[in-house]
Amino acid sequence: MITLLIVDDHPVVRDGLRGMFGADPRFEVLGEAADGAAAVTAAQRLRPDVVLMDLRMPGTDGVTAIRELARLGLPARVLVLTTYDTDGDVVPAIEAGATGYLLKDTPRDELFRAVEAAAEGRPVLSPAITALLIGQVRRPAPTLLSARELEVLELIAKGTTNREAARQLFISEATVKTHLLHLYAKLNATDRASAVAAGFSHGYLTP
């Protein structure tokens, strides 16, 4: 029997997953959590085989929780189950240590097979995520970043605001915004999160 911890901020989703897995004798749901911090606490206490982890939740997000579970050395495998399928969501989750990444429209039987695979440590990706990652690998390498653009990228990866970055780099806030626009264009990014994900993916940033 595979034991599970369900992590999602929507009670209806948690109830649906609990009912689905609870009705199958191959699985046992040990508990639930509504955010990443509660998930880490519950995983330490319950020691599930697999954690079904949503990503975007109030308070502590899923990626932060995945990193913390890995840091603590807990044996649970994390299987992301979310509605988000962008580079900025997928890459950080996998880099943080997720064993698999599925979308919430995954059919029940496929979800069951994915949980079984994750419990065995086998990577699991939904077809849409596989296509996204293949496309990312095939994407031409971004134009080389300038030294200043790299400095800005490193600062936003640390969560620095435009104003703080301007103060640290001794440039205007408008200049920081210009560098950000150049970064987005060169990294094929649409926002800060996807720029940081692309920075890690292309080796401009290291964990």
Side-chain angles (χ1 to χ4, degrees):
M1 181 178 288
I2 297 171
T3 57
L4 294 164
L5 171 64
I6 297 170
V7 185
D8 197 290
D9 59 315
H10 294 99
V12 172
V13 174
R14 296 198 306 271
D15 288 346
L17 290 170
R18 177 181 279 276
M20 184 188 304
F21 283 100
D24 192 301
R26 293 173 295 175
F27 308 101
E28 179 185 3
V29 178
L30 299 180
E32 303 174 10
D35 64 63
V40 173
T41 300
Q44 288 179 288
R45 176 171 54 86
L46 299 172
R47 299 282 170 163
D49 298 316
V50 176
V51 179
L52 281 178
M53 181 77 74
D54 193 13
L55 288 184
R56 301 189 191 181
M57 298 175 285
T60 304
D61 62 85
V63 171
T64 301
I66 295 169
R67 289 198 188 102
E68 183 63 11
L69 290 171
R71 187 189 70 80
L72 292 170
L74 295 180
R77 306 289 184 174
V78 178
L79 181 57
V80 172
L81 185 63
T82 183
T83 57
Y84 303 103
D85 60 354
T86 66
D87 288 7
D89 294 298
V90 177
V91 175
I94 293 174
E95 289 179 338
T99 298
Y101 198 111
L102 298 179
L103 301 180
K104 286 182 177 176
D105 60 359
T106 301
R108 183 185 63 178
D109 289 345
E110 289 184 22
L111 178 57
F112 286 174
R113 287 194 294 270
V115 169
E116 289 176 321
E120 296 173 359
R122 292 185 281 123
V124 184
L125 298 174
S126 70
I129 301 305
T130 300
L132 182 147
L133 293 176
I134 290 174
Q136 186 181 69
V137 170
R138 290 177 176 170
R139 186 181 303 155
T143 306
L144 189 65
L145 302 185
S146 69
R148 181 63 86 189
E149 289 165 352
L150 185 56
E151 288 178 327
V152 171
L153 181 61
E154 290 172 342
L155 286 173
I156 67 171
K158 297 175 182 176
T160 307
T161 65
N162 289 352
R163 179 172 297 179
E164 292 169 339
R167 180 177 56 79
Q168 292 186 39
L169 297 175
F170 301 101
I171 57 179
S172 70
E173 193 170 342
T175 301
V176 171
K177 291 179 181 178
T178 298
H179 286 312
L180 277 174
L181 291 176
H182 291 164
L183 281 171
Y184 293 166
K186 290 183 177 181
L187 297 174
N188 195 28
T190 56
D191 54 26
R192 284 170 166 252
S194 58
V196 171
F200 280 112
S201 177
H202 293 292
Y204 289 116
L205 299 171
T206 55

PDB file of all heavy atoms in Angstrom, residues 36-68:
ATOM      1  N   GLY A  36       2.409  25.081   1.946  1.00  0.00           N
ATOM      2  CA  GLY A  36       3.701  24.416   1.961  1.00  0.00           C
ATOM      3  C   GLY A  36       4.272  24.183   3.343  1.00  0.00           C
ATOM      4  O   GLY A  36       4.850  23.117   3.620  1.00  0.00           O
ATOM      5  N   ALA A  37       4.120  25.153   4.226  1.00  0.00           N
ATOM      6  CA  ALA A  37       4.667  25.004   5.578  1.00  0.00           C
ATOM      7  C   ALA A  37       3.980  23.863   6.319  1.00  0.00           C
ATOM      8  O   ALA A  37       4.632  23.041   6.973  1.00  0.00           O
ATOM      9  CB  ALA A  37       4.518  26.313   6.353  1.00  0.00           C
ATOM     10  N   ALA A  38       2.651  23.812   6.203  1.00  0.00           N
ATOM     11  CA  ALA A  38       1.906  22.726   6.849  1.00  0.00           C
ATOM     12  C   ALA A  38       2.270  21.385   6.223  1.00  0.00           C
ATOM     13  O   ALA A  38       2.303  20.357   6.907  1.00  0.00           O
ATOM     14  CB  ALA A  38       0.406  22.978   6.726  1.00  0.00           C
ATOM     15  N   ALA A  39       2.577  21.400   4.926  1.00  0.00           N
ATOM     16  CA  ALA A  39       2.959  20.158   4.240  1.00  0.00           C
ATOM     17  C   ALA A  39       4.259  19.603   4.803  1.00  0.00           C
ATOM     18  O   ALA A  39       4.392  18.397   5.030  1.00  0.00           O
ATOM     19  CB  ALA A  39       3.109  20.418   2.739  1.00  0.00           C
ATOM     20  N   VAL A  40       5.230  20.478   5.038  1.00  0.00           N
ATOM     21  CA  VAL A  40       6.517  20.032   5.574  1.00  0.00           C
ATOM     22  C   VAL A  40       6.330  19.448   6.975  1.00  0.00           C
ATOM     23  O   VAL A  40       6.865  18.378   7.298  1.00  0.00           O
ATOM     24  CB  VAL A  40       7.527  21.197   5.608  1.00  0.00           C
ATOM     25  CG1 VAL A  40       8.807  20.776   6.332  1.00  0.00           C
ATOM     26  CG2 VAL A  40       7.857  21.649   4.185  1.00  0.00           C
ATOM     27  N   THR A  41       5.548  20.140   7.788  1.00  0.00           N
ATOM     28  CA  THR A  41       5.283  19.655   9.148  1.00  0.00           C
ATOM     29  C   THR A  41       4.589  18.294   9.118  1.00  0.00           C
ATOM     30  O   THR A  41       4.959  17.365   9.848  1.00  0.00           O
ATOM     31  CB  THR A  41       4.411  20.662   9.912  1.00  0.00           C
ATOM     32  OG1 THR A  41       5.098  21.919   9.995  1.00  0.00           O
ATOM     33  CG2 THR A  41       4.111  20.161  11.327  1.00  0.00           C
ATOM     34  N   ALA A  42       3.566  18.181   8.254  1.00  0.00           N
ATOM     35  CA  ALA A  42       2.818  16.922   8.162  1.00  0.00           C
ATOM     36  C   ALA A  42       3.695  15.789   7.630  1.00  0.00           C
ATOM     37  O   ALA A  42       3.603  14.650   8.099  1.00  0.00           O
ATOM     38  CB  ALA A  42       1.595  17.113   7.272  1.00  0.00           C
ATOM     39  N   ALA A  43       4.539  16.102   6.653  1.00  0.00           N
ATOM     40  CA  ALA A  43       5.408  15.068   6.079  1.00  0.00           C
ATOM     41  C   ALA A  43       6.401  14.550   7.115  1.00  0.00           C
ATOM     42  O   ALA A  43       6.716  13.361   7.150  1.00  0.00           O
ATOM     43  CB  ALA A  43       6.147  15.619   4.865  1.00  0.00           C
ATOM     44  N   GLN A  44       6.889  15.441   7.966  1.00  0.00           N
ATOM     45  CA  GLN A  44       7.810  15.010   9.029  1.00  0.00           C
ATOM     46  C   GLN A  44       7.100  14.085  10.011  1.00  0.00           C
ATOM     47  O   GLN A  44       7.694  13.130  10.511  1.00  0.00           O
ATOM     48  CB  GLN A  44       8.351  16.240   9.765  1.00  0.00           C
ATOM     49  CG  GLN A  44       9.353  17.057   8.959  1.00  0.00           C
ATOM     50  CD  GLN A  44       9.826  18.269   9.736  1.00  0.00           C
ATOM     51  OE1 GLN A  44       9.090  19.237   9.923  1.00  0.00           O
ATOM     52  NE2 GLN A  44      11.052  18.222  10.207  1.00  0.00           N
ATOM     53  N   ARG A  45       5.842  14.383  10.283  1.00  0.00           N
ATOM     54  CA  ARG A  45       5.098  13.601  11.284  1.00  0.00           C
ATOM     55  C   ARG A  45       4.553  12.300  10.709  1.00  0.00           C
ATOM     56  O   ARG A  45       4.625  11.254  11.350  1.00  0.00           O
ATOM     57  CB  ARG A  45       3.944  14.455  11.830  1.00  0.00           C
ATOM     58  CG  ARG A  45       3.028  13.752  12.811  1.00  0.00           C
ATOM     59  CD  ARG A  45       2.066  14.743  13.451  1.00  0.00           C
ATOM     60  NE  ARG A  45       1.329  15.500  12.465  1.00  0.00           N
ATOM     61  CZ  ARG A  45       0.189  15.099  11.881  1.00  0.00           C
ATOM     62  NH1 ARG A  45      -0.338  13.922  12.233  1.00  0.00           N
ATOM     63  NH2 ARG A  45      -0.433  15.852  11.018  1.00  0.00           N
ATOM     64  N   LEU A  46       4.028  12.343   9.482  1.00  0.00           N
ATOM     65  CA  LEU A  46       3.324  11.193   8.909  1.00  0.00           C
ATOM     66  C   LEU A  46       4.208  10.265   8.089  1.00  0.00           C
ATOM     67  O   LEU A  46       3.894   9.094   7.913  1.00  0.00           O
ATOM     68  CB  LEU A  46       2.168  11.691   8.032  1.00  0.00           C
ATOM     69  CG  LEU A  46       1.096  12.524   8.745  1.00  0.00           C
ATOM     70  CD1 LEU A  46       0.122  13.102   7.737  1.00  0.00           C
ATOM     71  CD2 LEU A  46       0.367  11.679   9.779  1.00  0.00           C
ATOM     72  N   ARG A  47       5.322  10.793   7.552  1.00  0.00           N
ATOM     73  CA  ARG A  47       6.250  10.013   6.735  1.00  0.00           C
ATOM     74  C   ARG A  47       5.536   9.282   5.582  1.00  0.00           C
ATOM     75  O   ARG A  47       5.611   8.053   5.470  1.00  0.00           O
ATOM     76  CB  ARG A  47       6.987   8.983   7.605  1.00  0.00           C
ATOM     77  CG  ARG A  47       7.811   9.624   8.708  1.00  0.00           C
ATOM     78  CD  ARG A  47       9.111  10.172   8.142  1.00  0.00           C
ATOM     79  NE  ARG A  47       9.836  11.000   9.108  1.00  0.00           N
ATOM     80  CZ  ARG A  47      11.117  11.327   8.984  1.00  0.00           C
ATOM     81  NH1 ARG A  47      11.813  10.883   7.956  1.00  0.00           N
ATOM     82  NH2 ARG A  47      11.684  12.102   9.868  1.00  0.00           N
ATOM     83  N   PRO A  48       4.851  10.019   4.701  1.00  0.00           N
ATOM     84  CA  PRO A  48       4.174   9.373   3.572  1.00  0.00           C
ATOM     85  C   PRO A  48       5.178   8.911   2.522  1.00  0.00           C
ATOM     86  O   PRO A  48       6.322   9.381   2.474  1.00  0.00           O
ATOM     87  CB  PRO A  48       3.291  10.493   3.020  1.00  0.00           C
ATOM     88  CG  PRO A  48       4.090  11.734   3.317  1.00  0.00           C
ATOM     89  CD  PRO A  48       4.706  11.480   4.671  1.00  0.00           C
ATOM     90  N   ASP A  49       4.725   8.007   1.672  1.00  0.00           N
ATOM     91  CA  ASP A  49       5.555   7.582   0.543  1.00  0.00           C
ATOM     92  C   ASP A  49       5.586   8.656  -0.539  1.00  0.00           C
ATOM     93  O   ASP A  49       6.620   8.901  -1.151  1.00  0.00           O
ATOM     94  CB  ASP A  49       5.008   6.285  -0.067  1.00  0.00           C
ATOM     95  CG  ASP A  49       5.029   5.130   0.910  1.00  0.00           C
ATOM     96  OD1 ASP A  49       6.056   4.963   1.606  1.00  0.00           O
ATOM     97  OD2 ASP A  49       4.024   4.400   0.993  1.00  0.00           O
ATOM     98  N   VAL A  50       4.431   9.280  -0.772  1.00  0.00           N
ATOM     99  CA  VAL A  50       4.299  10.279  -1.840  1.00  0.00           C
ATOM    100  C   VAL A  50       3.551  11.499  -1.310  1.00  0.00           C
ATOM    101  O   VAL A  50       2.557  11.358  -0.590  1.00  0.00           O
ATOM    102  CB  VAL A  50       3.547   9.700  -3.057  1.00  0.00           C
ATOM    103  CG1 VAL A  50       3.319  10.782  -4.128  1.00  0.00           C
ATOM    104  CG2 VAL A  50       4.309   8.525  -3.653  1.00  0.00           C
ATOM    105  N   VAL A  51       4.030  12.679  -1.688  1.00  0.00           N
ATOM    106  CA  VAL A  51       3.336  13.926  -1.390  1.00  0.00           C
ATOM    107  C   VAL A  51       2.778  14.472  -2.699  1.00  0.00           C
ATOM    108  O   VAL A  51       3.532  14.752  -3.629  1.00  0.00           O
ATOM    109  CB  VAL A  51       4.268  14.972  -0.757  1.00  0.00           C
ATOM    110  CG1 VAL A  51       3.509  16.275  -0.494  1.00  0.00           C
ATOM    111  CG2 VAL A  51       4.880  14.444   0.533  1.00  0.00           C
ATOM    112  N   LEU A  52       1.456  14.611  -2.781  1.00  0.00           N
ATOM    113  CA  LEU A  52       0.828  15.259  -3.938  1.00  0.00           C
ATOM    114  C   LEU A  52       0.816  16.757  -3.649  1.00  0.00           C
ATOM    115  O   LEU A  52       0.104  17.219  -2.761  1.00  0.00           O
ATOM    116  CB  LEU A  52      -0.600  14.749  -4.136  1.00  0.00           C
ATOM    117  CG  LEU A  52      -0.771  13.391  -4.807  1.00  0.00           C
ATOM    118  CD1 LEU A  52      -2.253  13.029  -4.866  1.00  0.00           C
ATOM    119  CD2 LEU A  52      -0.185  13.404  -6.211  1.00  0.00           C
ATOM    120  N   MET A  53       1.611  17.531  -4.385  1.00  0.00           N
ATOM    121  CA  MET A  53       1.887  18.921  -4.038  1.00  0.00           C
ATOM    122  C   MET A  53       1.370  19.906  -5.079  1.00  0.00           C
ATOM    123  O   MET A  53       1.769  19.860  -6.252  1.00  0.00           O
ATOM    124  CB  MET A  53       3.409  19.097  -3.890  1.00  0.00           C
ATOM    125  CG  MET A  53       3.848  20.491  -3.498  1.00  0.00           C
ATOM    126  SD  MET A  53       3.596  20.850  -1.742  1.00  0.00           S
ATOM    127  CE  MET A  53       4.938  19.868  -1.025  1.00  0.00           C
ATOM    128  N   ASP A  54       0.490  20.795  -4.646  1.00  0.00           N
ATOM    129  CA  ASP A  54       0.113  21.928  -5.479  1.00  0.00           C
ATOM    130  C   ASP A  54       1.259  22.937  -5.420  1.00  0.00           C
ATOM    131  O   ASP A  54       2.117  22.859  -4.524  1.00  0.00           O
ATOM    132  CB  ASP A  54      -1.190  22.539  -4.964  1.00  0.00           C
ATOM    133  CG  ASP A  54      -1.802  23.517  -5.952  1.00  0.00           C
ATOM    134  OD1 ASP A  54      -1.360  23.547  -7.122  1.00  0.00           O
ATOM    135  OD2 ASP A  54      -2.726  24.259  -5.556  1.00  0.00           O
ATOM    136  N   LEU A  55       1.294  23.897  -6.347  1.00  0.00           N
ATOM    137  CA  LEU A  55       2.416  24.843  -6.365  1.00  0.00           C
ATOM    138  C   LEU A  55       2.059  26.207  -5.801  1.00  0.00           C
ATOM    139  O   LEU A  55       2.718  26.712  -4.894  1.00  0.00           O
ATOM    140  CB  LEU A  55       2.951  25.004  -7.792  1.00  0.00           C
ATOM    141  CG  LEU A  55       3.726  23.819  -8.363  1.00  0.00           C
ATOM    142  CD1 LEU A  55       4.262  24.175  -9.748  1.00  0.00           C
ATOM    143  CD2 LEU A  55       4.870  23.407  -7.448  1.00  0.00           C
ATOM    144  N   ARG A  56       1.036  26.824  -6.335  1.00  0.00           N
ATOM    145  CA  ARG A  56       0.698  28.189  -5.926  1.00  0.00           C
ATOM    146  C   ARG A  56      -0.341  28.154  -4.823  1.00  0.00           C
ATOM    147  O   ARG A  56      -1.508  27.852  -5.053  1.00  0.00           O
ATOM    148  CB  ARG A  56       0.197  28.996  -7.116  1.00  0.00           C
ATOM    149  CG  ARG A  56       1.226  29.093  -8.242  1.00  0.00           C
ATOM    150  CD  ARG A  56       0.776  30.069  -9.304  1.00  0.00           C
ATOM    151  NE  ARG A  56       1.600  30.000 -10.500  1.00  0.00           N
ATOM    152  CZ  ARG A  56       1.438  30.757 -11.572  1.00  0.00           C
ATOM    153  NH1 ARG A  56       0.445  31.641 -11.583  1.00  0.00           N
ATOM    154  NH2 ARG A  56       2.225  30.624 -12.627  1.00  0.00           N
ATOM    155  N   MET A  57       0.117  28.459  -3.605  1.00  0.00           N
ATOM    156  CA  MET A  57      -0.752  28.445  -2.436  1.00  0.00           C
ATOM    157  C   MET A  57      -0.447  29.663  -1.576  1.00  0.00           C
ATOM    158  O   MET A  57       0.688  30.148  -1.571  1.00  0.00           O
ATOM    159  CB  MET A  57      -0.518  27.168  -1.615  1.00  0.00           C
ATOM    160  CG  MET A  57      -0.844  25.879  -2.355  1.00  0.00           C
ATOM    161  SD  MET A  57      -0.417  24.391  -1.392  1.00  0.00           S
ATOM    162  CE  MET A  57       1.385  24.394  -1.560  1.00  0.00           C
ATOM    163  N   PRO A  58      -1.434  30.171  -0.851  1.00  0.00           N
ATOM    164  CA  PRO A  58      -1.162  31.278   0.071  1.00  0.00           C
ATOM    165  C   PRO A  58      -0.132  30.854   1.114  1.00  0.00           C
ATOM    166  O   PRO A  58      -0.050  29.690   1.484  1.00  0.00           O
ATOM    167  CB  PRO A  58      -2.527  31.518   0.730  1.00  0.00           C
ATOM    168  CG  PRO A  58      -3.528  30.943  -0.225  1.00  0.00           C
ATOM    169  CD  PRO A  58      -2.846  29.766  -0.859  1.00  0.00           C
ATOM    170  N   GLY A  59       0.676  31.800   1.551  1.00  0.00           N
ATOM    171  CA  GLY A  59       1.716  31.466   2.525  1.00  0.00           C
ATOM    172  C   GLY A  59       2.895  30.829   1.825  1.00  0.00           C
ATOM    173  O   GLY A  59       3.412  31.357   0.840  1.00  0.00           O
ATOM    174  N   THR A  60       3.315  29.683   2.297  1.00  0.00           N
ATOM    175  CA  THR A  60       4.473  28.991   1.710  1.00  0.00           C
ATOM    176  C   THR A  60       4.052  28.238   0.458  1.00  0.00           C
ATOM    177  O   THR A  60       3.147  27.419   0.497  1.00  0.00           O
ATOM    178  CB  THR A  60       5.074  28.003   2.731  1.00  0.00           C
ATOM    179  OG1 THR A  60       5.409  28.710   3.921  1.00  0.00           O
ATOM    180  CG2 THR A  60       6.328  27.352   2.167  1.00  0.00           C
ATOM    181  N   ASP A  61       4.732  28.529  -0.667  1.00  0.00           N
ATOM    182  CA  ASP A  61       4.361  27.899  -1.931  1.00  0.00           C
ATOM    183  C   ASP A  61       4.942  26.490  -2.028  1.00  0.00           C
ATOM    184  O   ASP A  61       5.754  26.063  -1.211  1.00  0.00           O
ATOM    185  CB  ASP A  61       4.839  28.744  -3.119  1.00  0.00           C
ATOM    186  CG  ASP A  61       6.351  28.868  -3.137  1.00  0.00           C
ATOM    187  OD1 ASP A  61       7.013  27.975  -3.676  1.00  0.00           O
ATOM    188  OD2 ASP A  61       6.883  29.864  -2.597  1.00  0.00           O
ATOM    189  N   GLY A  62       4.527  25.789  -3.089  1.00  0.00           N
ATOM    190  CA  GLY A  62       4.928  24.401  -3.247  1.00  0.00           C
ATOM    191  C   GLY A  62       6.408  24.202  -3.497  1.00  0.00           C
ATOM    192  O   GLY A  62       7.017  23.270  -2.962  1.00  0.00           O
ATOM    193  N   VAL A  63       7.009  25.069  -4.318  1.00  0.00           N
ATOM    194  CA  VAL A  63       8.435  24.915  -4.624  1.00  0.00           C
ATOM    195  C   VAL A  63       9.276  25.080  -3.358  1.00  0.00           C
ATOM    196  O   VAL A  63      10.218  24.318  -3.121  1.00  0.00           O
ATOM    197  CB  VAL A  63       8.878  25.924  -5.702  1.00  0.00           C
ATOM    198  CG1 VAL A  63      10.397  25.926  -5.854  1.00  0.00           C
ATOM    199  CG2 VAL A  63       8.229  25.589  -7.041  1.00  0.00           C
ATOM    200  N   THR A  64       8.932  26.062  -2.532  1.00  0.00           N
ATOM    201  CA  THR A  64       9.644  26.255  -1.266  1.00  0.00           C
ATOM    202  C   THR A  64       9.518  25.019  -0.385  1.00  0.00           C
ATOM    203  O   THR A  64      10.485  24.585   0.254  1.00  0.00           O
ATOM    204  CB  THR A  64       9.100  27.487  -0.525  1.00  0.00           C
ATOM    205  OG1 THR A  64       9.266  28.638  -1.354  1.00  0.00           O
ATOM    206  CG2 THR A  64       9.828  27.709   0.791  1.00  0.00           C
ATOM    207  N   ALA A  65       8.325  24.437  -0.356  1.00  0.00           N
ATOM    208  CA  ALA A  65       8.105  23.233   0.449  1.00  0.00           C
ATOM    209  C   ALA A  65       8.921  22.056  -0.089  1.00  0.00           C
ATOM    210  O   ALA A  65       9.494  21.287   0.687  1.00  0.00           O
ATOM    211  CB  ALA A  65       6.617  22.881   0.458  1.00  0.00           C
ATOM    212  N   ILE A  66       8.986  21.928  -1.417  1.00  0.00           N
ATOM    213  CA  ILE A  66       9.762  20.833  -2.011  1.00  0.00           C
ATOM    214  C   ILE A  66      11.234  20.972  -1.629  1.00  0.00           C
ATOM    215  O   ILE A  66      11.899  19.990  -1.264  1.00  0.00           O
ATOM    216  CB  ILE A  66       9.605  20.822  -3.541  1.00  0.00           C
ATOM    217  CG1 ILE A  66       8.156  20.516  -3.918  1.00  0.00           C
ATOM    218  CG2 ILE A  66      10.533  19.782  -4.174  1.00  0.00           C
ATOM    219  CD1 ILE A  66       7.840  20.741  -5.384  1.00  0.00           C
ATOM    220  N   ARG A  67      11.755  22.198  -1.693  1.00  0.00           N
ATOM    221  CA  ARG A  67      13.154  22.430  -1.307  1.00  0.00           C
ATOM    222  C   ARG A  67      13.389  22.061   0.158  1.00  0.00           C
ATOM    223  O   ARG A  67      14.394  21.454   0.513  1.00  0.00           O
ATOM    224  CB  ARG A  67      13.527  23.898  -1.528  1.00  0.00           C
ATOM    225  CG  ARG A  67      13.650  24.320  -2.977  1.00  0.00           C
ATOM    226  CD  ARG A  67      14.431  25.613  -3.098  1.00  0.00           C
ATOM    227  NE  ARG A  67      14.393  26.129  -4.454  1.00  0.00           N
ATOM    228  CZ  ARG A  67      13.627  27.123  -4.862  1.00  0.00           C
ATOM    229  NH1 ARG A  67      12.821  27.725  -4.000  1.00  0.00           N
ATOM    230  NH2 ARG A  67      13.653  27.533  -6.109  1.00  0.00           N
ATOM    231  N   GLU A  68      12.441  22.422   1.007  1.00  0.00           N
ATOM    232  CA  GLU A  68      12.597  22.146   2.434  1.00  0.00           C
ATOM    233  C   GLU A  68      12.532  20.646   2.717  1.00  0.00           C
ATOM    234  O   GLU A  68      13.302  20.127   3.538  1.00  0.00           O
ATOM    235  CB  GLU A  68      11.513  22.884   3.230  1.00  0.00           C
ATOM    236  CG  GLU A  68      11.610  22.721   4.743  1.00  0.00           C
ATOM    237  CD  GLU A  68      12.889  23.281   5.348  1.00  0.00           C
ATOM    238  OE1 GLU A  68      13.635  23.992   4.640  1.00  0.00           O
ATOM    239  OE2 GLU A  68      13.147  23.013   6.545  1.00  0.00           O
TER     240      GLU A  68
END
